[in-house]
Amino acid sequence: MASNAPDLILTHGDIRTMDPLQPRAQAVAVQAGRVVAIGSNDAITALANGRTKKIHAGGKLVLPGFQDTHIHLQDSGTGFSSSVNLEGARNIAQLQQLIRDYAKTTNDLWVRGVGWYSGIFGAHNLDRHVLDAAVPDRPVYIYASDGHNAAMNTKACELTGLDASVADPHGGSFVRDDKGVPTGLIYEDAIDWVRARMPKKELDAYTKGVRYGQKLCNKHGITGVLDAMVAERHMKVYRGLEEAGELSVRLRATAKVYPEESVKDALGRLEALRREYRSENIAVHSAKFFLDGVLENRTAAMIEDYSDATGGNAPIMFDEDHLRDLFIAFDAARFQLHIHVIGDRATRVALDRIEAAREINGAWPSLHQLAHVQVIHPDDIPRLRALGVVTNMQPLWARCEPSVTDMALPFIGAERGRWMYPWRTIVETGAPYAVSSDWGVSTLNPFPIMQTAVTRQPAHVAKDFPVFEAQERLNVEQVVRGYTTLAAAAAWRGDETGSLTPGKYADLIVLDRDIFAVDPYAIGETQVDLTLLGGREVHRAEGFAG
């Protein structure tokens, strides 16, 4: 009996297992990285012997580790660890000063920045001359938080060969002045054109980026992620960390499919990635499709034209017949589809093509995902449940802030604005869903995201601050499920993670407060005292004695 004693027990917790068969407990026993028993303090303590490690949770809330199913872990970690963070800039002078100050601290030829807010900066106020004023003699490249916009100074344009003679690439564009000369502002896949002409980072820089990102994940209770866009470089880095025993999150990943690829080439490329990178903790399991861009730069595809004076619309980024063939082929090959949709037309086209694939290949538990779903036509909401399609939602964005009130709502009008981020309506249909961050577009910290999901208001405002579509508020239970059981299912690891159930991995977190009981406006300040990945401690807050 002694040889079967658990390696670790955690007792005196307020454990919410997220397992409906045993929803509450005081203690949990772990052996070889997995939960072996869950129950009362006395029952679990009786299983231990002198070699068993013991953690006293002090009556605090214990949950399964959270899973972020749409995060750019490696790229954002690398960006924030090797570039200037521009998230705090709220005007041109602040943006310039951050870039200017950072240029003095780096020896790299290129001055890089990440995180500028496209709700404030854009074609009306940001161009190469603005960046020249900050750093005129070195190339400057800054990437927006939304991942769909970037900007360069004149030196960077010269070094990459960007001038009036360069045509817009498929799926992207260079903003130009009235003479056709690029202004330095870059949209969508034109960003790839620029990056291909910039110096390449060494793999060590990306390894450092993952270390930075996963440490942040663990600090905030995240034990599993779905990297929302990878290529072979990403997977090489992840595998290297896994083989070194340094990976502290479970990783699923989705690889991008490009509009110009044939079905055969795209499927072959992703099948090779899936074969090559599949282990206990890392796997490529899905195909990523961008069907449109974002409202902020008018590349979101809408059913009806934009409502403001400029009007117009944006196309789907794929030939729609080709997209149908791609969806059918990837679905038949048992890839999950992970589809970026912002406008209501992009969402409808995605659902139409998923439905076509299902009619030909039959239904299977794919849990294909629509990421973002910023605007959806109400007629399409019931189709999410009917087709078993996951809404991968980022609730932090559903609040009154400039990107919503000053840009999106004027672009689409009040009638369509009612169906912007309609999370509760979708959840109450019984459709599958998951909650995520899209870091580095925004924070990866789940607790401000949860608070916004529940309040539909920004943090640190008065409680009477305008609420964005109050009828779409979620409750805490719904958001926690979106980060645990439902996220695990969406990442195709629900059989081994997502709840504290005997046989599953002992991925768990201890919180400094009961987020189910506190004032909703205090959820965002929650701190994680302890994070375990397979029973291994990957984060401990300084003040947690445990």
Side-chain angles (χ1 to χ4, degrees):
M1 186 70 170
S3 63
N4 292 325
D7 305 318
L8 176 148
I9 61 170
L10 180 145
T11 61
H12 299 87
D14 176 14
I15 302 176
R16 295 202 182 215
T17 67
M18 307 311 289
D19 180 348
L21 297 180
Q22 191 176 7
R24 304 293 287 271
Q26 295 176 312
V28 58
V30 178
Q31 189 175 53
R34 295 182 183 263
V35 175
V36 292
I38 191 154
S40 68
N41 290 323
D42 289 344
I44 298 302
T45 300
L47 299 175
N49 67 14
R51 291 185 297 275
T52 301
K53 181 179 179 180
K54 300 176 179 65
I55 297 174
H56 192 296
K60 294 182 175 182
L61 179 64
V62 179
L63 292 171
F66 294 146
Q67 303 192 34
D68 192 325
T69 51
H70 190 100
I71 183 172
H72 300 278
L73 179 67
Q74 187 171 143
D75 288 344
S76 296
T78 303
F80 283 114
S81 63
S82 63
S83 309
V84 58
N85 185 343
L86 302 173
E87 290 175 322
R90 286 296 176 265
N91 56 54
I92 288 295
Q94 291 175 355
L95 186 78
Q96 290 172 322
Q97 193 61 48
L98 286 167
I99 296 168
R100 188 179 296 118
D101 290 346
Y102 177 71
K104 296 174 183 176
T105 70
T106 177
N107 294 322
D108 290 345
L109 171 63
W110 283 73
V111 178
R112 304 174 196 245
V114 293
W116 57 271
Y117 181 31
S118 58
I120 294 175
F121 305 108
H124 62 289
N125 66 353
L126 180 60
D127 62 20
R128 57 191 171 89
H129 303 298
V130 167
L131 299 181
D132 290 344
V135 180
D137 56 342
R138 293 161 66 188
V140 175
Y141 171 85
I142 60 172
Y143 191 47
S145 63
D146 63 14
H148 295 260
N149 299 266
M152 299 194 297
N153 70 349
T154 299
K155 194 72 173 177
C157 291
E158 291 172 355
L159 289 179
T160 56
L162 178 58
D163 58 28
S165 69
V166 177
D168 289 347
H170 183 87
S173 61
F174 302 108
V175 178
R176 302 172 190 271
D177 63 21
D178 54 8
K179 296 180 180 178
V181 177
T183 68
L185 196 62
I186 313 153
Y187 293 161
E188 304 300 337
D189 284 355
I191 294 170
D192 293 335
W193 185 95
V194 169
R195 283 177 169 166
R197 290 157 177 80
M198 290 172 61
K200 300 293 184 291
K201 292 186 174 75
E202 299 293 331
L203 283 185
D204 285 351
Y206 296 106
T207 300
K208 177 184 174 184
V210 176
R211 290 191 184 111
Y212 175 94
Q214 69 178 7
K215 183 177 181 181
L216 204 57
C217 285
N218 298 155
K219 177 183 177 182
H220 294 303
I222 296 170
T223 55
V225 299
L226 197 163
D227 192 315
M229 191 167 67
V230 302
E232 186 152 10
R233 175 261 293 174
H234 298 80
M235 299 311 297
K236 283 182 178 178
V237 170
Y238 286 132
R239 183 161 65 185
L241 284 163
E242 182 188 34
E243 290 175 346
E246 291 188 52
L247 199 63
S248 65
V249 292
R250 304 190 192 283
L251 182 124
R252 292 284 187 272
T254 179
K256 184 177 178 179
V257 176
Y258 296 88
E260 63 272 17
E261 287 185 289
S262 69
V263 172
K264 179 181 178 182
D265 288 348
L267 188 59
R269 181 171 60 82
L270 267 67
E271 283 182 327
L273 281 172
R274 183 168 66 175
R275 283 192 306 271
E276 178 67 20
Y277 299 100
R278 178 180 294 186
S279 67
E280 182 181 9
N281 284 327
I282 66 171
V284 176
H285 84 310
S286 56
K288 175 73 173 287
F289 295 83
F290 283 88
L291 296 203
D292 65 346
V294 290
L295 281 166
E296 288 83 353
N297 65 16
R298 309 180 74 89
T299 55
M302 305 299 298
I303 294 171
E304 303 292 338
D305 284 354
Y306 285 76
S307 299
D308 64 344
T310 304
N313 210 328
I316 298 296
M317 291 180 170
F318 282 77
D319 174 87
E320 294 183 28
D321 290 337
H322 184 46
L323 184 70
R324 180 180 182 274
D325 293 341
L326 285 163
F327 275 24
I328 290 168
F330 276 98
D331 179 79
R334 295 304 188 250
F335 278 88
Q336 188 182 75
L337 306 176
H338 195 106
I339 310 157
H340 169 107
V341 293
I342 293 291
D344 54 7
R345 182 159 186 270
T347 299
R348 178 166 290 178
V349 168
L351 290 170
D352 288 347
R353 275 39 183 192
I354 290 172
E355 188 170 21
R358 182 170 177 160
E359 287 173 356
I360 290 175
N361 299 328
W364 60 286
S366 59
L367 291 174
H368 295 319
Q369 298 191 40
L370 299 188
H372 316 313
V373 194
Q374 182 167 355
V375 188
I376 185 171
H377 193 285
D379 290 352
D380 289 323
I381 291 176
R383 300 178 69 195
L384 296 166
R385 179 179 180 180
L387 293 169
V389 171
V390 174
T391 300
N392 192 314
M393 58 182 71
Q394 295 76 42
L396 188 71
W397 305 344
R399 59 190 188 182
C400 292
E401 60 178 5
S403 63
V404 172
T405 56
D406 299 351
M407 300 192 79
L409 287 175
F411 283 174
I412 65 174
E415 184 176 348
R416 288 185 289 193
R418 163 65 187 90
W419 300 106
M420 186 187 296
Y421 307 129
W423 304 144
R424 191 177 188 98
T425 298
I426 290 171
V427 168
E428 290 186 344
T429 68
Y433 68 97
V435 177
S436 64
S437 69
D438 201 9
W439 187 67
V441 176
S442 56
T443 180
L444 61 68
N445 185 346
F447 301 105
I449 295 171
M450 290 181 177
Q451 179 174 314
T452 304
V454 173
T455 66
R456 305 275 291 200
Q457 295 165 290
H460 311 301
V461 297
K463 293 184 180 181
D464 61 356
F465 188 89
V467 178
F468 182 64
E469 301 295 342
Q471 69 272 32
E472 297 298 344
R473 286 169 159 167
L474 297 174
N475 61 44
V476 175
E477 174 84 12
Q478 290 168 327
V479 187
V480 171
R481 289 205 174 278
Y483 263 118
T484 55
T485 53
L486 297 175
W492 286 8
R493 50 181 172 235
D495 57 335
E496 294 199 306
T497 66
S499 65
L500 296 176
T501 300
K504 290 190 177 183
Y505 285 113
D507 300 348
L508 62 83
I509 58 178
V510 180
L511 307 186
D512 74 343
R513 70 197 70 190
D514 183 352
I515 59 175
F516 294 92
V518 298
D519 184 324
Y521 294 90
I523 293 173
E525 300 302 320
T526 301
Q527 300 295 310
V528 177
D529 284 334
L530 184 72
T531 304
L532 302 183
L533 179 76
R536 173 170 63 98
E537 189 175 301
V538 293
H539 166 74
R540 178 183 286 261
E542 189 173 339
F544 181 66

